[in-house]
Amino acid sequence: MSTLPERSSVEHLRKQAKDLLRQYRLEDAAAFERLRQSLPSARNKSNPALIALQLRLHDMQSCIAREYGFSSWVELKDYVELEGVLRESFESRRLHWLRLVYGADVAGGTGRPRPALAARLLAETPELAGDDPYLACAIGDEGAIRRAIDRDAGWVNRSGGLLNIPPLIAITHSGLAGLDPYREALYRSVRLLLDAQADPNASFGNRWPPHSLEKPGDERLTAIYGAAGKLHDVTMTEMLLAAGADPNDGESLYHSLEDPRRELPCTRLLLEGGARVPGTNALAKVLDFDNLAGLKMLLAHTEQGDPDLGRILHWAIYRGRSAAHVRALLDAGADPRTLHSDGQSAHRRAGSFGLPEVVRLLEEGGNGEPLSLEEKFVAACARVDKAEARELLAAKPDLFASLSAGQLRQLPNLAMGGSDDAVRLMVELGWPIAVRGGDIDGSALNWAVFRGNPALAEFLLEHGASFRESHGYGSDVIGTLSWASLNEPRVDGDWPGCAAALLAHGMPGARPTSDPDPSAPNRTVLIDGRTMTFAAEVVDVLLGTGGE
């Protein structure tokens, strides 16, 4: 195992990974041996087998991390970041730590909570919490909290500290509650505050951009939102509800559905505590995930035949959900005759999204309709029935000219949903490639880049797509690359690969800013006349230094 040099930088480590990639591509024997020793996917592989793997930069980064004794590149970067933070001023370290504990909605900035790294930083610098009772709340220091109450009983409902938040917020939004060494102490601290008459409906102004720590937004985020919607913590949620917290705060129910546990225990607690489903858009939210049980749980708390269920039925189709999801909505009284805002019926839209089982379900219920040639063509494309699609197009060569705006949007809609084969077929048949649609009102190329899918991006670019194609948030594909590389909406996204594909098809390269920080996890560059920020690995490619 190699020893990490003192004062290491992420930039230097990236350079090592790029050098290893270059040696690998030159079929260097020493590089092959390093990969066999440290990269699990390369272990015991012959040289030809290693070449066939077509390893990329992220594989080299993983190898470098393991050579230094870390399980992943992310863990290595976190460690180096931590070492850098420890060299900063005390106040800078303290604010950095708070952003790791809470994320941007509480502490400002742009990041999400990173509790494991926060705990590591606290272990390295235990004086960070000091004697500040608000910081004591972040870690569950009961002694400090009790002393603050003894000094001033009104403190429990007073905003203050570096983040200007109430004590109960400081506990119920602390990401450290997800770690075993802190969890029970934080629970006891919640009980201590509630017993001291802390308001269970404590709230603060959202600091997530475009708001900030200095200028919070008007949107109020509550203690129970932190417990149920952010931490997904059952014990805290139970304590707050028992103390009288209002589950109808406009955020908690909706965000509780983001819990990776399919049984959604905090959602259940909120519903049992009186959370109302209407007006929250929770039914649409649960359909963003393939969680049939979660949908049925919400429907059990929705009035039978609620008129909004027709809209939700169309959303289920838009999200490509199964016939079982649609049946649950129909059983709850969703009216299959409800038209979408574009005038389409549920039956026609199910066909256009390539959902034959849903089509059959609706037809069995007597809600089928005869389809026009255009509708048959869109449906054939969506289900990747190449023979029927080509036959229908041959019967009417100018068919694209007669497609409605809603039908044309199926190209980006299907690109959004990951129906890549359907997208390829539609483009090969001559579909207008720049048409916009989906959640961001973007082109198919915008969606390929959003998803971090360089193969689809390359295909679309080869067929005439352009990096200048716009989306509904006032930018273009470069803006999509920036946002997606910083926020990583998919765990399997390859945004450096997307950047390479865009550069190969006419997108201008980037130039460094006047004062670049190559060690930062995100970096700002000048590109296409704009100053924009991307993940550092994407910047490497945009500057021509990515080794890809």
Short mmCIF file of all heavy atoms in Angstrom, two decimals, residues 27-85:
data_model
loop_
_atom_site.label_atom_id
_atom_site.label_comp_id
_atom_site.label_asym_id
_atom_site.label_seq_id
_atom_site.Cartn_x
_atom_site.Cartn_y
_atom_site.Cartn_z
N GLU A 27 -0.80 0.15 -23.25
CA GLU A 27 -0.62 -1.27 -22.94
C GLU A 27 0.69 -1.52 -22.18
O GLU A 27 1.41 -2.48 -22.41
CB GLU A 27 -0.70 -2.12 -24.21
CG GLU A 27 -2.05 -1.97 -24.92
CD GLU A 27 -2.18 -2.85 -26.15
OE1 GLU A 27 -1.36 -3.78 -26.32
OE2 GLU A 27 -3.12 -2.61 -26.94
N ASP A 28 0.95 -0.61 -21.23
CA ASP A 28 2.14 -0.71 -20.40
C ASP A 28 2.00 -1.85 -19.40
O ASP A 28 1.00 -1.94 -18.68
CB ASP A 28 2.34 0.62 -19.67
CG ASP A 28 3.54 0.61 -18.77
OD1 ASP A 28 4.66 0.78 -19.28
OD2 ASP A 28 3.36 0.40 -17.55
N ALA A 29 2.99 -2.70 -19.32
CA ALA A 29 2.91 -3.89 -18.46
C ALA A 29 2.81 -3.50 -16.98
O ALA A 29 2.08 -4.13 -16.21
CB ALA A 29 4.13 -4.77 -18.69
N ALA A 30 3.53 -2.47 -16.58
CA ALA A 30 3.48 -2.05 -15.17
C ALA A 30 2.10 -1.52 -14.79
O ALA A 30 1.61 -1.77 -13.68
CB ALA A 30 4.54 -0.97 -14.92
N ALA A 31 1.47 -0.81 -15.73
CA ALA A 31 0.11 -0.31 -15.48
C ALA A 31 -0.86 -1.47 -15.33
O ALA A 31 -1.73 -1.47 -14.44
CB ALA A 31 -0.32 0.61 -16.61
N PHE A 32 -0.72 -2.48 -16.21
CA PHE A 32 -1.59 -3.65 -16.11
C PHE A 32 -1.44 -4.33 -14.76
O PHE A 32 -2.42 -4.75 -14.14
CB PHE A 32 -1.27 -4.64 -17.23
CG PHE A 32 -1.77 -4.24 -18.58
CD1 PHE A 32 -1.28 -4.85 -19.73
CD2 PHE A 32 -2.75 -3.26 -18.72
CE1 PHE A 32 -1.73 -4.49 -20.99
CE2 PHE A 32 -3.22 -2.90 -19.97
CZ PHE A 32 -2.70 -3.51 -21.10
N GLU A 33 -0.20 -4.42 -14.27
CA GLU A 33 0.02 -5.10 -13.00
C GLU A 33 -0.58 -4.30 -11.84
O GLU A 33 -1.16 -4.87 -10.92
CB GLU A 33 1.52 -5.30 -12.78
CG GLU A 33 1.85 -6.15 -11.56
CD GLU A 33 1.18 -7.52 -11.60
OE1 GLU A 33 0.99 -8.08 -12.70
OE2 GLU A 33 0.84 -8.03 -10.50
N ARG A 34 -0.46 -2.97 -11.89
CA ARG A 34 -1.08 -2.14 -10.86
C ARG A 34 -2.59 -2.34 -10.83
O ARG A 34 -3.21 -2.43 -9.76
CB ARG A 34 -0.75 -0.66 -11.11
CG ARG A 34 0.67 -0.28 -10.82
CD ARG A 34 0.93 1.17 -11.18
NE ARG A 34 0.16 2.10 -10.36
CZ ARG A 34 0.10 3.41 -10.58
NH1 ARG A 34 0.76 3.94 -11.60
NH2 ARG A 34 -0.61 4.19 -9.78
N LEU A 35 -3.20 -2.39 -11.98
CA LEU A 35 -4.65 -2.58 -12.06
C LEU A 35 -5.05 -3.94 -11.50
O LEU A 35 -6.03 -4.06 -10.76
CB LEU A 35 -5.12 -2.42 -13.51
CG LEU A 35 -5.03 -0.99 -14.07
CD1 LEU A 35 -5.19 -0.99 -15.58
CD2 LEU A 35 -6.10 -0.10 -13.43
N ARG A 36 -4.28 -4.98 -11.86
CA ARG A 36 -4.60 -6.31 -11.35
C ARG A 36 -4.49 -6.35 -9.83
O ARG A 36 -5.25 -7.03 -9.15
CB ARG A 36 -3.66 -7.35 -11.97
CG ARG A 36 -4.12 -7.89 -13.31
CD ARG A 36 -3.30 -9.09 -13.75
NE ARG A 36 -1.99 -8.68 -14.20
CZ ARG A 36 -1.65 -8.44 -15.48
NH1 ARG A 36 -2.57 -8.58 -16.42
NH2 ARG A 36 -0.44 -8.07 -15.80
N GLN A 37 -3.53 -5.61 -9.27
CA GLN A 37 -3.31 -5.62 -7.84
C GLN A 37 -4.39 -4.87 -7.07
O GLN A 37 -4.76 -5.27 -5.96
CB GLN A 37 -1.94 -5.00 -7.52
CG GLN A 37 -0.76 -5.85 -7.91
CD GLN A 37 -0.66 -7.12 -7.08
OE1 GLN A 37 -0.97 -7.14 -5.89
NE2 GLN A 37 -0.26 -8.21 -7.73
N SER A 38 -4.93 -3.78 -7.63
CA SER A 38 -5.77 -2.88 -6.84
C SER A 38 -7.20 -2.71 -7.31
O SER A 38 -8.05 -2.28 -6.52
CB SER A 38 -5.10 -1.49 -6.78
OG SER A 38 -3.84 -1.57 -6.18
N LEU A 39 -7.48 -2.98 -8.57
CA LEU A 39 -8.84 -2.75 -9.08
C LEU A 39 -9.60 -4.08 -9.10
O LEU A 39 -9.21 -5.01 -9.81
CB LEU A 39 -8.77 -2.16 -10.50
CG LEU A 39 -10.09 -1.66 -11.08
CD1 LEU A 39 -10.59 -0.45 -10.29
CD2 LEU A 39 -9.92 -1.29 -12.55
N PRO A 40 -10.69 -4.20 -8.31
CA PRO A 40 -11.40 -5.49 -8.24
C PRO A 40 -11.81 -6.05 -9.59
O PRO A 40 -11.70 -7.26 -9.82
CB PRO A 40 -12.61 -5.16 -7.37
CG PRO A 40 -12.16 -4.02 -6.51
CD PRO A 40 -11.25 -3.20 -7.38
N SER A 41 -12.29 -5.21 -10.50
CA SER A 41 -12.75 -5.72 -11.79
C SER A 41 -11.60 -6.21 -12.66
O SER A 41 -11.84 -6.90 -13.67
CB SER A 41 -13.51 -4.62 -12.53
OG SER A 41 -12.68 -3.51 -12.80
N ALA A 42 -10.36 -5.86 -12.31
CA ALA A 42 -9.20 -6.26 -13.12
C ALA A 42 -8.44 -7.43 -12.52
O ALA A 42 -7.53 -7.96 -13.17
CB ALA A 42 -8.25 -5.07 -13.28
N ARG A 43 -8.83 -7.84 -11.34
CA ARG A 43 -8.06 -8.87 -10.63
C ARG A 43 -8.00 -10.17 -11.42
O ARG A 43 -9.00 -10.65 -11.96
CB ARG A 43 -8.68 -9.10 -9.26
CG ARG A 43 -7.77 -9.82 -8.28
CD ARG A 43 -8.11 -9.44 -6.85
NE ARG A 43 -7.80 -8.03 -6.58
CZ ARG A 43 -8.50 -7.26 -5.76
NH1 ARG A 43 -9.56 -7.75 -5.14
NH2 ARG A 43 -8.13 -6.02 -5.54
N ASN A 44 -6.77 -10.72 -11.54
CA ASN A 44 -6.51 -12.01 -12.21
C ASN A 44 -6.83 -12.00 -13.70
O ASN A 44 -6.90 -13.06 -14.32
CB ASN A 44 -7.30 -13.14 -11.53
CG ASN A 44 -6.94 -13.31 -10.07
OD1 ASN A 44 -5.77 -13.19 -9.70
ND2 ASN A 44 -7.94 -13.57 -9.23
N LYS A 45 -7.00 -10.84 -14.28
CA LYS A 45 -7.30 -10.76 -15.72
C LYS A 45 -6.00 -10.76 -16.52
O LYS A 45 -4.99 -10.16 -16.13
CB LYS A 45 -8.08 -9.48 -16.02
CG LYS A 45 -9.50 -9.46 -15.44
CD LYS A 45 -10.51 -9.75 -16.50
CE LYS A 45 -11.95 -9.54 -16.11
NZ LYS A 45 -12.37 -9.83 -14.76
N SER A 46 -6.04 -11.42 -17.67
CA SER A 46 -4.91 -11.40 -18.59
C SER A 46 -4.81 -10.03 -19.24
O SER A 46 -5.77 -9.23 -19.20
CB SER A 46 -5.08 -12.47 -19.67
OG SER A 46 -6.20 -12.14 -20.49
N ASN A 47 -3.67 -9.76 -19.87
CA ASN A 47 -3.52 -8.47 -20.56
C ASN A 47 -4.60 -8.26 -21.63
O ASN A 47 -5.20 -7.18 -21.69
CB ASN A 47 -2.13 -8.35 -21.17
CG ASN A 47 -1.05 -8.15 -20.11
OD1 ASN A 47 -1.36 -8.07 -18.92
ND2 ASN A 47 0.20 -8.06 -20.53
N PRO A 48 -4.87 -9.25 -22.50
CA PRO A 48 -5.94 -9.04 -23.49
C PRO A 48 -7.30 -8.80 -22.83
O PRO A 48 -8.10 -7.99 -23.33
CB PRO A 48 -5.93 -10.35 -24.29
CG PRO A 48 -4.54 -10.88 -24.13
CD PRO A 48 -4.12 -10.51 -22.75
N ALA A 49 -7.55 -9.47 -21.72
CA ALA A 49 -8.84 -9.27 -21.03
C ALA A 49 -8.92 -7.86 -20.45
O ALA A 49 -9.99 -7.23 -20.46
CB ALA A 49 -9.02 -10.31 -19.94
N LEU A 50 -7.79 -7.35 -19.96
CA LEU A 50 -7.78 -5.99 -19.44
C LEU A 50 -8.03 -4.98 -20.55
O LEU A 50 -8.77 -4.00 -20.37
CB LEU A 50 -6.43 -5.69 -18.76
CG LEU A 50 -6.21 -6.26 -17.36
CD1 LEU A 50 -4.79 -5.97 -16.90
CD2 LEU A 50 -7.22 -5.67 -16.39
N ILE A 51 -7.44 -5.21 -21.69
CA ILE A 51 -7.66 -4.31 -22.83
C ILE A 51 -9.12 -4.32 -23.23
O ILE A 51 -9.73 -3.29 -23.52
CB ILE A 51 -6.75 -4.72 -24.01
CG1 ILE A 51 -5.27 -4.54 -23.64
CG2 ILE A 51 -7.10 -3.91 -25.26
CD1 ILE A 51 -4.31 -5.18 -24.61
N ALA A 52 -9.72 -5.50 -23.21
CA ALA A 52 -11.13 -5.64 -23.62
C ALA A 52 -12.07 -4.92 -22.67
O ALA A 52 -13.19 -4.56 -23.07
CB ALA A 52 -11.49 -7.12 -23.72
N LEU A 53 -11.66 -4.71 -21.43
CA LEU A 53 -12.53 -4.02 -20.47
C LEU A 53 -12.76 -2.56 -20.85
O LEU A 53 -13.74 -1.94 -20.40
CB LEU A 53 -11.92 -4.07 -19.07
CG LEU A 53 -11.97 -5.41 -18.32
CD1 LEU A 53 -11.22 -5.31 -17.00
CD2 LEU A 53 -13.42 -5.83 -18.09
N GLN A 54 -11.85 -1.99 -21.67
CA GLN A 54 -11.95 -0.58 -22.07
C GLN A 54 -12.16 0.32 -20.84
O GLN A 54 -13.10 1.10 -20.76
CB GLN A 54 -13.09 -0.38 -23.09
CG GLN A 54 -12.84 -1.13 -24.39
CD GLN A 54 -13.89 -0.84 -25.46
OE1 GLN A 54 -14.96 -0.30 -25.18
NE2 GLN A 54 -13.57 -1.17 -26.68
N LEU A 55 -11.23 0.19 -19.92
CA LEU A 55 -11.32 0.95 -18.67
C LEU A 55 -11.20 2.45 -18.94
O LEU A 55 -10.56 2.88 -19.90
CB LEU A 55 -10.21 0.51 -17.71
CG LEU A 55 -10.26 -0.97 -17.30
CD1 LEU A 55 -9.04 -1.33 -16.46
CD2 LEU A 55 -11.54 -1.27 -16.53
N ARG A 56 -11.84 3.24 -18.06
CA ARG A 56 -11.87 4.68 -18.24
C ARG A 56 -11.30 5.38 -17.01
O ARG A 56 -10.84 4.74 -16.06
CB ARG A 56 -13.30 5.14 -18.53
CG ARG A 56 -13.90 4.42 -19.74
CD ARG A 56 -15.23 4.98 -20.12
NE ARG A 56 -15.10 6.37 -20.58
CZ ARG A 56 -16.13 7.09 -21.02
NH1 ARG A 56 -17.33 6.56 -21.05
NH2 ARG A 56 -15.95 8.33 -21.43
N LEU A 57 -11.36 6.72 -17.03
CA LEU A 57 -10.72 7.50 -15.98
C LEU A 57 -11.24 7.14 -14.59
O LEU A 57 -10.45 7.05 -13.63
CB LEU A 57 -10.94 9.00 -16.26
CG LEU A 57 -10.28 9.96 -15.27
CD1 LEU A 57 -8.78 9.78 -15.22
CD2 LEU A 57 -10.63 11.40 -15.62
N HIS A 58 -12.56 6.91 -14.46
CA HIS A 58 -13.07 6.61 -13.12
C HIS A 58 -12.51 5.29 -12.59
O HIS A 58 -12.37 5.11 -11.38
CB HIS A 58 -14.60 6.61 -13.11
CG HIS A 58 -15.23 5.56 -13.97
ND1 HIS A 58 -15.45 4.28 -13.52
CD2 HIS A 58 -15.70 5.59 -15.25
CE1 HIS A 58 -16.03 3.57 -14.49
NE2 HIS A 58 -16.18 4.33 -15.54
N ASP A 59 -12.18 4.35 -13.50
CA ASP A 59 -11.55 3.10 -13.06
C ASP A 59 -10.15 3.37 -12.52
O ASP A 59 -9.73 2.78 -11.52
CB ASP A 59 -11.48 2.11 -14.22
CG ASP A 59 -12.85 1.74 -14.75
OD1 ASP A 59 -13.66 1.20 -13.97
OD2 ASP A 59 -13.12 2.00 -15.94
N MET A 60 -9.43 4.26 -13.19
CA MET A 60 -8.08 4.60 -12.73
C MET A 60 -8.15 5.32 -11.39
O MET A 60 -7.29 5.10 -10.51
CB MET A 60 -7.37 5.47 -13.77
CG MET A 60 -7.34 4.86 -15.16
SD MET A 60 -6.55 3.22 -15.18
CE MET A 60 -7.51 2.41 -16.49
N GLN A 61 -9.13 6.17 -11.21
CA GLN A 61 -9.29 6.87 -9.94
C GLN A 61 -9.56 5.87 -8.82
O GLN A 61 -9.03 5.99 -7.71
CB GLN A 61 -10.42 7.88 -10.04
CG GLN A 61 -10.09 9.07 -10.93
CD GLN A 61 -11.27 9.96 -11.19
OE1 GLN A 61 -12.43 9.54 -11.08
NE2 GLN A 61 -11.01 11.22 -11.55
N SER A 62 -10.38 4.87 -9.11
CA SER A 62 -10.65 3.83 -8.11
C SER A 62 -9.38 3.07 -7.77
O SER A 62 -9.11 2.76 -6.59
CB SER A 62 -11.72 2.88 -8.64
OG SER A 62 -11.97 1.84 -7.73
N CYS A 63 -8.57 2.79 -8.78
CA CYS A 63 -7.31 2.08 -8.55
C CYS A 63 -6.37 2.90 -7.67
O CYS A 63 -5.79 2.39 -6.71
CB CYS A 63 -6.65 1.76 -9.90
SG CYS A 63 -5.08 0.89 -9.75
N ILE A 64 -6.24 4.19 -7.99
CA ILE A 64 -5.37 5.08 -7.21
C ILE A 64 -5.83 5.11 -5.75
O ILE A 64 -5.02 5.02 -4.81
CB ILE A 64 -5.37 6.50 -7.81
CG1 ILE A 64 -4.73 6.51 -9.20
CG2 ILE A 64 -4.67 7.48 -6.87
CD1 ILE A 64 -3.27 6.19 -9.21
N ALA A 65 -7.15 5.24 -5.54
CA ALA A 65 -7.69 5.29 -4.18
C ALA A 65 -7.33 4.03 -3.41
O ALA A 65 -6.90 4.10 -2.24
CB ALA A 65 -9.20 5.49 -4.23
N ARG A 66 -7.49 2.89 -4.04
CA ARG A 66 -7.22 1.63 -3.35
C ARG A 66 -5.73 1.45 -3.08
O ARG A 66 -5.34 0.84 -2.08
CB ARG A 66 -7.79 0.47 -4.18
CG ARG A 66 -9.31 0.47 -4.20
CD ARG A 66 -9.88 -0.51 -5.23
NE ARG A 66 -11.32 -0.36 -5.33
CZ ARG A 66 -12.21 -0.92 -4.52
NH1 ARG A 66 -11.78 -1.70 -3.52
NH2 ARG A 66 -13.49 -0.73 -4.69
N GLU A 67 -4.89 1.97 -3.96
CA GLU A 67 -3.45 1.91 -3.71
C GLU A 67 -3.07 2.68 -2.46
O GLU A 67 -2.10 2.34 -1.78
CB GLU A 67 -2.69 2.47 -4.92
CG GLU A 67 -2.69 1.53 -6.12
CD GLU A 67 -1.92 2.09 -7.30
OE1 GLU A 67 -1.82 3.33 -7.43
OE2 GLU A 67 -1.43 1.28 -8.12
N TYR A 68 -3.82 3.72 -2.13
CA TYR A 68 -3.57 4.51 -0.93
C TYR A 68 -4.37 4.03 0.27
O TYR A 68 -4.36 4.67 1.33
CB TYR A 68 -3.88 5.98 -1.19
CG TYR A 68 -2.83 6.68 -2.02
CD1 TYR A 68 -3.17 7.27 -3.24
CD2 TYR A 68 -1.51 6.74 -1.60
CE1 TYR A 68 -2.21 7.93 -4.01
CE2 TYR A 68 -0.54 7.39 -2.36
CZ TYR A 68 -0.90 7.97 -3.56
OH TYR A 68 0.06 8.61 -4.31
N GLY A 69 -5.08 2.90 0.12
CA GLY A 69 -5.78 2.31 1.25
C GLY A 69 -7.21 2.79 1.46
O GLY A 69 -7.78 2.56 2.53
N PHE A 70 -7.80 3.44 0.46
CA PHE A 70 -9.18 3.90 0.56
C PHE A 70 -10.08 3.01 -0.30
O PHE A 70 -9.64 2.48 -1.32
CB PHE A 70 -9.29 5.37 0.11
CG PHE A 70 -8.54 6.31 1.00
CD1 PHE A 70 -7.18 6.56 0.79
CD2 PHE A 70 -9.17 6.94 2.06
CE1 PHE A 70 -6.47 7.42 1.62
CE2 PHE A 70 -8.47 7.80 2.89
CZ PHE A 70 -7.12 8.04 2.67
N SER A 71 -11.33 2.88 0.11
CA SER A 71 -12.23 1.96 -0.59
C SER A 71 -12.78 2.54 -1.89
O SER A 71 -13.30 1.81 -2.72
CB SER A 71 -13.40 1.56 0.32
OG SER A 71 -14.18 2.70 0.66
N SER A 72 -12.69 3.87 -2.04
CA SER A 72 -13.25 4.50 -3.25
C SER A 72 -12.58 5.84 -3.48
O SER A 72 -11.95 6.42 -2.58
CB SER A 72 -14.76 4.70 -3.10
OG SER A 72 -15.04 5.70 -2.14
N TRP A 73 -12.73 6.35 -4.68
CA TRP A 73 -12.21 7.67 -5.03
C TRP A 73 -12.89 8.76 -4.19
O TRP A 73 -12.24 9.70 -3.75
CB TRP A 73 -12.43 7.91 -6.51
CG TRP A 73 -12.06 9.27 -7.02
CD1 TRP A 73 -12.90 10.27 -7.40
CD2 TRP A 73 -10.73 9.79 -7.21
NE1 TRP A 73 -12.19 11.37 -7.81
CE2 TRP A 73 -10.86 11.11 -7.71
CE3 TRP A 73 -9.45 9.27 -6.99
CZ2 TRP A 73 -9.75 11.91 -8.00
CZ3 TRP A 73 -8.35 10.06 -7.29
CH2 TRP A 73 -8.50 11.36 -7.79
N VAL A 74 -14.19 8.59 -3.95
CA VAL A 74 -14.91 9.57 -3.13
C VAL A 74 -14.33 9.63 -1.73
O VAL A 74 -14.12 10.71 -1.16
CB VAL A 74 -16.42 9.23 -3.09
CG1 VAL A 74 -17.14 10.10 -2.07
CG2 VAL A 74 -17.04 9.41 -4.47
N GLU A 75 -14.03 8.47 -1.15
CA GLU A 75 -13.47 8.45 0.20
C GLU A 75 -12.09 9.11 0.23
O GLU A 75 -11.76 9.86 1.16
CB GLU A 75 -13.37 7.00 0.70
CG GLU A 75 -12.89 6.90 2.14
CD GLU A 75 -12.80 5.45 2.62
OE1 GLU A 75 -13.64 4.64 2.18
OE2 GLU A 75 -11.89 5.16 3.42
N LEU A 76 -11.30 8.87 -0.81
CA LEU A 76 -9.99 9.50 -0.89
C LEU A 76 -10.12 11.02 -1.02
O LEU A 76 -9.43 11.79 -0.33
CB LEU A 76 -9.21 8.93 -2.08
CG LEU A 76 -7.88 9.61 -2.42
CD1 LEU A 76 -6.92 9.57 -1.22
CD2 LEU A 76 -7.24 8.96 -3.64
N LYS A 77 -11.03 11.48 -1.89
CA LYS A 77 -11.24 12.93 -2.05
C LYS A 77 -11.70 13.56 -0.74
O LYS A 77 -11.28 14.66 -0.38
CB LYS A 77 -12.26 13.20 -3.15
CG LYS A 77 -11.74 13.02 -4.56
CD LYS A 77 -12.56 13.81 -5.57
CE LYS A 77 -14.02 13.48 -5.52
NZ LYS A 77 -14.80 14.28 -6.49
N ASP A 78 -12.61 12.87 -0.04
CA ASP A 78 -13.10 13.40 1.23
C ASP A 78 -11.95 13.56 2.23
O ASP A 78 -11.88 14.56 2.95
CB ASP A 78 -14.17 12.47 1.82
CG ASP A 78 -15.53 12.64 1.16
OD1 ASP A 78 -15.68 13.59 0.37
OD2 ASP A 78 -16.42 11.83 1.42
N TYR A 79 -11.07 12.58 2.26
CA TYR A 79 -9.95 12.65 3.20
C TYR A 79 -9.04 13.83 2.87
O TYR A 79 -8.62 14.58 3.76
CB TYR A 79 -9.16 11.34 3.17
CG TYR A 79 -7.97 11.35 4.11
CD1 TYR A 79 -8.14 11.07 5.46
CD2 TYR A 79 -6.70 11.67 3.64
CE1 TYR A 79 -7.06 11.09 6.32
CE2 TYR A 79 -5.61 11.71 4.50
CZ TYR A 79 -5.80 11.41 5.84
OH TYR A 79 -4.73 11.45 6.70
N VAL A 80 -8.73 13.99 1.59
CA VAL A 80 -7.86 15.10 1.18
C VAL A 80 -8.54 16.44 1.45
O VAL A 80 -7.90 17.40 1.90
CB VAL A 80 -7.47 14.95 -0.30
CG1 VAL A 80 -6.71 16.18 -0.80
CG2 VAL A 80 -6.63 13.70 -0.51
N GLU A 81 -9.86 16.49 1.20
CA GLU A 81 -10.60 17.71 1.51
C GLU A 81 -10.51 18.02 3.00
O GLU A 81 -10.31 19.17 3.41
CB GLU A 81 -12.06 17.57 1.09
CG GLU A 81 -12.92 18.77 1.43
CD GLU A 81 -14.39 18.54 1.11
OE1 GLU A 81 -14.70 17.77 0.19
OE2 GLU A 81 -15.23 19.15 1.81
N LEU A 82 -10.66 16.99 3.81
CA LEU A 82 -10.59 17.17 5.26
C LEU A 82 -9.23 17.71 5.67
O LEU A 82 -9.13 18.64 6.49
CB LEU A 82 -10.87 15.83 5.95
CG LEU A 82 -10.72 15.79 7.47
CD1 LEU A 82 -11.72 16.73 8.12
CD2 LEU A 82 -10.92 14.37 7.98
N GLU A 83 -8.17 17.17 5.10
CA GLU A 83 -6.84 17.64 5.43
C GLU A 83 -6.68 19.11 5.06
O GLU A 83 -6.04 19.89 5.77
CB GLU A 83 -5.79 16.79 4.69
CG GLU A 83 -5.71 15.36 5.17
CD GLU A 83 -5.24 15.27 6.61
OE1 GLU A 83 -4.11 15.67 6.89
OE2 GLU A 83 -6.02 14.79 7.46
N GLY A 84 -7.29 19.51 3.94
CA GLY A 84 -7.22 20.91 3.54
C GLY A 84 -7.99 21.81 4.48
O GLY A 84 -7.54 22.91 4.82
N VAL A 85 -9.16 21.36 4.92
CA VAL A 85 -9.98 22.15 5.84
C VAL A 85 -9.24 22.39 7.15
O VAL A 85 -9.30 23.48 7.73
CB VAL A 85 -11.33 21.45 6.10
CG1 VAL A 85 -12.08 22.13 7.24
CG2 VAL A 85 -12.17 21.46 4.83
#
